[in-house]
């Protein structure tokens, strides 16, 4: 049977409630003023909402912040983090001491970061860039629904918690927030409760200057059940009634629209000045006087306030103990499912997954796009392991993330699938797709491995969320297909030229461009061996051969010799570095250059610059010729970054064009004949009296500057 929730006394004592709420407000003004930084306004205006959430509405155990069946809270309006920190302290989280609260904007920084960070107890995801928290919360809700549909049994609702998301005016203006809310409404996620702190103010002042949407009507049109509270600043009973109702709604996500007064109690109330800066010493003293506090005493928390929150700890302990009892009975009744959950809680795949991937001898020998080769890993692994949730932004077939016997994640009543499904159609919502996947990945110790796919160029739409994946250390596996001018007739709007530069420079990110099917297997191994690092594979639309000397085990090295014109490859005179589909052209050119120049030519496949940079100096020096070889890079992207490894490059210097992919490679100078001619002329220019003279630092040359789009000015 499902476990009950311990009910706390809902009798409202106006005197005590006012003291608690006003204590939160005074802490907000004191802590922002202490080190002259931060956001006091929302703490002051939304204090009653915080009390309603942490004292009454949410089910959690402050003494065990990672309890599996806890409610999750996401502060999408991350600038209001002090609102969350104060309530974590009052609720009894051991880590959130009074001293930790005082590290807010403190030069001796601690846990109270300027925006919530995932590393600390009670913080589910890192928020800050507005709107992304909404997407994260949708991901958490999807994860919970999927687990419940997969593992709950009659009488054993071991997963039955809620996802709470606190948002403000800014989050609802951001496109990613609207993308995520739209999808949540379509999926009918009734475990997802959005609290809209509608204070009508942002940094620039009144939102009347830029935003006059009827948010309740708009969100209702998205499929949400809407509840409205007119005075969320002080009417705690009305807030509690709204949140109680929210928890009973079935078949729709819930939008609780609460109107508040930002900076309540100060002369700056209802203004932008209350949003993102301390109030000033005199105004702080004024506010504390208004609320009956001694202006001279800082950060005072009366004993009555601690006493008011004390029952939360007992409730949380009892809730968790009841759940543990249920879970142990579940283990006896359903040992296979219990073992599977426990294994997933480790955050790793079961032993033996690597051996499931086909060996090189088992891979197709016919030429095929690397997007299709990556699909081999998807169809091999995803059906076997429930950790994987694979999705696409309207490109399932193009990105090869479909898998046998897939079930779509959909509300069961639609007839399109059910909540146990692990194939997600994100629609044309690239940004939200990654933000939602971040929430899934963060749900509980890597229980989920989201796979997200779209054309590589549209990972530009997704880039802000991909950056947050890396910052938080969340394992997302990204598929970016149609990765170059080889996309062909779709034209320059779809042909990525400079995007790789961003992903290559992003810390804690596996950006990998494999050259063939074997390297694709190595890319998947890296992604699955990286529990705290997201990955993105740039994959070709055009077919490439399976190279004789490609080696999945060397992908983790970032770069390795893949071809040589000489049986003795220890002392190459010319090195060509490439990635992806250009490796094939480089090998073809190397064969001819070796004959025509009578030089020892080595081709290096460099699928990952970041992994190469982590290798020993000795290995990197060996790959790049020990400082005795001319090195040229060939890649149909921008040359940015190649000067670290090469003396020259054949790279793109304009946008692409709409034409067949084979034609485009010729037009922009990547035909094998032109590669040979350009490299040969460059080598000749570096030869003096029969000896090659290596260029000095700063003499990097672009060998295709004369190749411009013939149909563009």
């Amino acid at each position: 049977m499902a476990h009950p929730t311990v009910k706390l006394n809902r009798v409202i004592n106006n005197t005590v409630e006012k003291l608690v709420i006003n204590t939160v407000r005074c802490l907000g003004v004191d802590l922002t003023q202490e080190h002259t930084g931060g956001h006091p306004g929302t703490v002051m205006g939304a204090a009653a909402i915080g009390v309603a959430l942490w004292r009454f509405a949410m089910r959690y155990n402050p003494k065990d912040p990672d309890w599996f069946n806890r409610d999750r809270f996401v502060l999408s309006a991350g600038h209001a983090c002090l609102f969350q920190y104060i309530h974590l302290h009052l609720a009894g989280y051991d880590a959130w001491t009074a001293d930790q609260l005082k590290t807010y904007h403190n030069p001796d920084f601690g846990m109270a970061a300027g925006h919530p960070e995932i590393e600390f107890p009670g913080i589910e995801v890192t928020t800050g860039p507005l709107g992304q928290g909404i997407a994260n919360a949708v991901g958490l809700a999807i994860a919970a629904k999927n687990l419940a549909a997969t593992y709950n049994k009659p009488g054993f609702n071991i997963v039955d918690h809620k996802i709470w998301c606190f948002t403000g005016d800014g989050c609802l203006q951001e496109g990613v927030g609207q993308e995520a809310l739209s999808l949540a409404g379509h999926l009918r996620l009734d475990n997802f409760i959005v609290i809209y702190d509608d204070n009508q103010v942002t940094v620039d002042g009144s939102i009347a200057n830029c935003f006059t949407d009827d948010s309740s009507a708009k969100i209702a049109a998205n499929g949400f059940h809407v509840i409205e509270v007119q005075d969320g600043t002080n009417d705690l009973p009305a807030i509690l009634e709204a949140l109680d109702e929210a928890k009973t709604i079935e078949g729709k996500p819930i939008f609780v629209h609460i109107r508040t007064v930002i900076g309540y109690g100060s002369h700056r109330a209802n203004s932008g000045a209350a949003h993102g800066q301390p109030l000033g010493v005199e105004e702080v003293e004024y506010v504390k006087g208004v609320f009956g506090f001694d202006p001279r005493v800082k950060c005072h928390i009366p004993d009555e306030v601690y006493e008011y929150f004390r029952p939360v700890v007992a409730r949380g302990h009892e809730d968790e103990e009841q759940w543990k009892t249920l879970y142990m009975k579940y283990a006896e009744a359903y040992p296979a499912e219990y073992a599977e959950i426990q294994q997933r809680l480790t955050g790793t795949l079961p032993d033996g997954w690597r051996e499931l991937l086909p060996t090189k001898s088992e891979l197709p020998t016919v030429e095929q796009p690397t997007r299709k080769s990556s699909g081999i890993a998807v169809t091999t692994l995803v059906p076997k392991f429930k950790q994987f949730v694979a999705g696409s932004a309207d490109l399932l077939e193009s990105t090869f993330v479909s898998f046998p016997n897939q079930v779509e994640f959909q509300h069961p009543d639609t007839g399109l699938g059910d909540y146990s499904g692990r194939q997600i159609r994100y629609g044309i919502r690239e940004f939200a797709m990654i933000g939602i996947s971040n929430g899934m990945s963060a749900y509980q110790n890597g229980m989920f491995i989201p796979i997200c796919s779209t054309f590589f160029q549209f990972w530009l739409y997704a880039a802000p969320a991909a950056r947050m994946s890396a910052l938080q250390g969340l394992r997302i596996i990204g598929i970016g297909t149609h990765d170059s001018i080889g996309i062909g007739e779709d034209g320059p709007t779809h042909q990525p030229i400079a995007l790789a530069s961003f992903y290559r420079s992003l810390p804690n990110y596996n950006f990998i461009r494999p050259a063939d099917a074997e390297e694709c297997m190595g890319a998947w191994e890296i992604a699955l061996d990286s529990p705290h690092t997201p990955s993105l594979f740039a994959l070709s639309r055009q077919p490439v051969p399976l190279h004789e000397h490609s080696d999945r085990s060397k992908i983790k090295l970032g770069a390795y010799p893949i071809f040589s014109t000489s049986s003795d490859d220890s002392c190459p005179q010319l090195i060509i570095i490439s990635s992806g589909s250009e490796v094939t052209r480089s090998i073809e050119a190397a064969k001819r250059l070796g004959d025509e120049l009578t030089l020892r030519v080595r081709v290096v496949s460099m699928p990952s610059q970041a992994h190469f940079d982590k290798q020993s100096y000795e290995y990197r020096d060996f790959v790049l010729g020990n400082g005795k070889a001319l090195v040229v890079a060939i890649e149909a992207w921008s040359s940015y970054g190649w000067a670290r490894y090469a003396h020259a490059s054949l790279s793109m210097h304009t946008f692409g064009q709409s034409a067949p992919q084979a034609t485009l490679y010729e037009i922009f100078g990547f035909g094998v004949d032109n590669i040979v001619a350009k490299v040969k002329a460059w080598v000749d220019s570096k030869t003096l009296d029969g000896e090659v003279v290596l260029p000095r630092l700063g003499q990097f040359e672009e060998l295709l500057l004369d190749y411009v789009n013939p149909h563009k000015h």
Side-chain angles (χ1 to χ4, degrees), residues 5 20 91 152 233 244 262 264 310-311 314 334 363 392 424 495 544 546 552 683:
T5 299
V20 172
N152 283 359
T233 308
D244 280 348
I262 193 169
Y264 178 76
R310 190 158 288 120
Y334 301 97
L363 291 171
S392 173
I424 299 182
Q495 294 165 9
V544 295
L546 185 66
R552 71 185 68 185
V683 172

Side-chain angles (χ1 to χ4, degrees), residues 683-703:
V683 172
D684 287 343
S685 74
K686 303 305 173 191
T687 304
L688 181 63
D689 297 329
E691 296 292 331
V692 171
V693 180
L694 298 181
R696 291 181 296 180
L697 186 67
Q699 293 183 334
F700 183 80
E701 295 182 58
E702 305 275 7
L703 304 186

Side-chain angles (χ1 to χ4, degrees), residues 2-251:
H3 67 285
T5 299
V6 178
K7 297 293 185 182
L8 295 183
N9 187 351
R10 290 294 178 84
V11 175
I12 303 301
N13 181 325
N14 285 334
T15 301
V16 175
E17 308 291 345
K18 285 182 178 179
L19 175 64
V20 172
I21 293 169
N22 289 338
T23 297
V24 173
R25 290 167 173 156
C26 290
L27 283 171
V29 299
D30 267 341
L31 289 167
T32 51
Q33 189 62 43
E34 186 72 13
H35 299 287
T36 60
H39 299 70
T42 300
V43 181
M44 301 167 72
I49 299 175
V51 171
L53 284 168
W54 274 276
R55 175 62 169 79
F56 293 109
M58 293 195 299
R59 187 174 70 193
Y60 63 100
N61 183 1
K63 302 305 179 183
D64 185 7
D66 294 327
W67 169 37
F68 179 58
N69 200 39
R70 69 190 181 279
D71 283 2
R72 270 76 166 169
F73 175 83
V74 175
L75 184 71
S76 187
H79 56 272
C81 56
L82 195 53
F83 164 83
Q84 184 173 13
Y85 301 156
I86 289 170
H87 286 96
L88 291 174
H89 168 66
L90 297 177
Y93 283 76
D94 292 334
W96 286 98
T97 64
D99 286 339
Q100 277 297 342
L101 290 183
K102 294 174 184 177
T103 66
Y104 180 68
H105 278 257
N106 189 325
D108 300 321
F109 58 89
M111 287 165 41
H115 289 83
E117 296 184 8
I118 194 172
E119 297 93 330
F120 305 121
I123 311 296
E124 301 292 349
V125 291
T126 297
T127 56
L130 292 177
Q132 290 202 46
I134 294 177
N136 299 160
V138 172
L140 291 166
I142 289 173
K145 279 290 187 185
N146 180 264
L147 287 174
T150 303
Y151 295 111
N152 283 359
K153 303 294 181 182
F156 291 95
N157 289 334
I158 58 171
V159 181
D160 65 351
H161 54 268
K162 301 293 185 181
I163 310 299
W164 303 82
C165 179
F166 184 98
T167 186
D169 298 296
C171 295
L172 293 186
Q173 292 178 50
E174 290 285 0
V176 64
Q178 293 297 327
E179 289 178 26
L181 291 168
S182 172
L183 185 60
H186 164 74
L187 294 173
R188 307 185 198 178
L189 300 175
D190 55 14
N191 60 340
F192 176 48
I193 303 172
V194 180
I195 297 174
Y196 172 30
D197 173 37
D198 180 5
N199 59 44
Q200 297 285 303
V201 169
T202 59
V203 176
D204 278 351
S206 171
I207 64 168
N209 297 319
C210 62
F211 187 75
T212 50
D213 295 18
D214 184 339
S215 291
S216 286
K218 183 167 66 175
I219 302 304
N222 280 340
F224 278 68
H225 177 86
V226 176
I227 306 169
E228 298 201 347
V229 177
Q230 296 303 318
D231 178 17
T233 308
N234 291 301
D235 193 347
L236 181 61
I239 298 170
L240 289 172
E241 183 179 348
L243 300 188
D244 280 348
E245 179 185 345
K247 291 191 288 185
T248 67
I249 301 302
E250 296 182 353

Side-chain angles (χ1 to χ4, degrees), residues 309-329:
F309 273 93
R310 190 158 288 120
V312 170
V313 173
R315 177 192 66 181
H317 174 74
E318 186 170 348
D319 270 351
E320 183 173 0
E321 288 303 307
Q322 289 180 354
W323 179 84
K324 285 180 177 178
T325 299
L326 181 72
Y327 192 46
M328 288 301 98
K329 292 179 179 178

Side-chain angles (χ1 to χ4, degrees), residues 504-551:
R504 281 172 169 162
S505 66
L506 195 59
N508 189 40
Y509 207 85
N510 296 325
F511 178 72
I512 305 171
R513 191 183 188 211
D516 68 357
E518 173 70 358
E519 288 197 359
C520 282
M521 299 305 106
W524 273 91
E525 288 185 355
I526 285 177
L528 294 174
D529 283 333
S530 304
H532 304 296
T533 302
S535 302
L536 172 57
F537 309 148
L539 304 172
S540 72
R541 178 197 187 196
Q542 65 272 24
V544 295
L546 185 66
H547 296 296
E548 181 181 359
H549 298 294
S550 58
D551 187 341

Side-chain angles (χ1 to χ4, degrees), residues 391-681:
S392 173
D394 200 44
L395 290 166
L396 280 177
E397 302 304 322
S398 290
T399 56
F400 287 87
V401 296
S402 297
F403 54 93
N405 303 314
Q406 64 190 36
V407 175
E408 290 190 21
F409 182 90
Q410 300 276 2
H411 189 282
D413 289 353
T414 63
L416 300 172
D418 60 58
Y419 285 146
S420 72
R422 295 187 290 115
Q423 184 88 68
I424 299 182
R425 294 186 185 267
Y426 288 100
I428 301 87
R429 303 181 180 97
E430 292 88 354
F431 193 170
M433 174 174 66
I434 310 306
I436 289 168
S437 295
N438 285 342
M440 281 191 279
S441 182
Y443 177 80
Q444 188 86 10
N445 193 36
M447 285 192 75
F448 287 88
I449 304 175
I451 301 169
C452 307
S453 65
T454 184
F455 287 0
F456 179 44
Q457 179 58 43
F458 302 132
W459 275 84
L460 183 59
Y461 282 169
R467 173 181 173 271
M468 294 302 291
S469 308
L471 190 151
Q472 296 179 81
L474 300 174
R475 178 170 50 192
I476 308 292
I477 299 179
I479 305 296
T481 66
H482 300 60
D483 73 344
S484 69
I485 57 174
I487 192 173
E489 292 86 348
D490 280 345
T493 60
H494 286 49
Q495 294 165 9
I497 300 301
L499 184 54
S501 300
F502 168 76
Y503 281 103
R504 281 172 169 162
S505 66
L506 195 59
N508 189 40
Y509 207 85
N510 296 325
F511 178 72
I512 305 171
R513 191 183 188 211
D516 68 357
E518 173 70 358
E519 288 197 359
C520 282
M521 299 305 106
W524 273 91
E525 288 185 355
I526 285 177
L528 294 174
D529 283 333
S530 304
H532 304 296
T533 302
S535 302
L536 172 57
F537 309 148
L539 304 172
S540 72
R541 178 197 187 196
Q542 65 272 24
V544 295
L546 185 66
H547 296 296
E548 181 181 359
H549 298 294
S550 58
D551 187 341
R552 71 185 68 185
S553 70
K554 294 181 178 177
I555 304 303
K556 62 180 178 292
L557 301 175
Y560 66 100
I562 195 171
F563 173 80
S564 176
T565 60
S566 172
S567 58
D568 179 10
D569 188 39
S570 60
C571 298
Q573 296 163 294
L574 173 64
I575 294 175
I576 301 174
I577 315 177
S578 287
S579 73
S581 55
E582 282 83 84
V583 170
T584 300
R585 295 174 179 271
S586 297
I587 291 174
E588 292 174 6
K591 293 175 181 178
R592 287 177 49 183
L593 285 165
D595 292 337
E596 295 180 22
L597 291 174
T598 64
L599 293 178
R600 295 183 298 277
V601 185
R602 170 191 291 174
V603 176
V604 170
S605 175
M606 186 178 277
S608 172
Q609 292 182 0
H611 283 83
F612 184 65
D613 291 344
K614 294 175 183 177
Q615 303 312 310
S616 67
Y617 171 78
E618 290 76 15
Y619 179 76
R620 286 178 286 145
D621 198 37
F622 156 71
V623 169
L624 298 179
N626 297 305
K628 298 177 182 179
L630 284 169
V631 183
V632 61
I634 300 176
E635 192 175 54
W637 286 341
S638 160
S639 66
Y640 189 81
W642 279 115
R644 298 181 65 179
Y645 315 104
H647 302 115
S649 78
L650 285 81
S651 305
M652 289 292 293
H653 296 282
T654 72
F655 292 104
Q657 182 182 328
S658 181
Q661 65 92 6
T663 302
L664 287 174
Y665 272 90
E666 295 293 333
I667 286 174
F668 290 105
F670 295 96
V672 174
D673 287 345
N674 188 65
I675 291 173
V676 171
K678 287 289 183 179
V679 174
K680 185 176 180 180

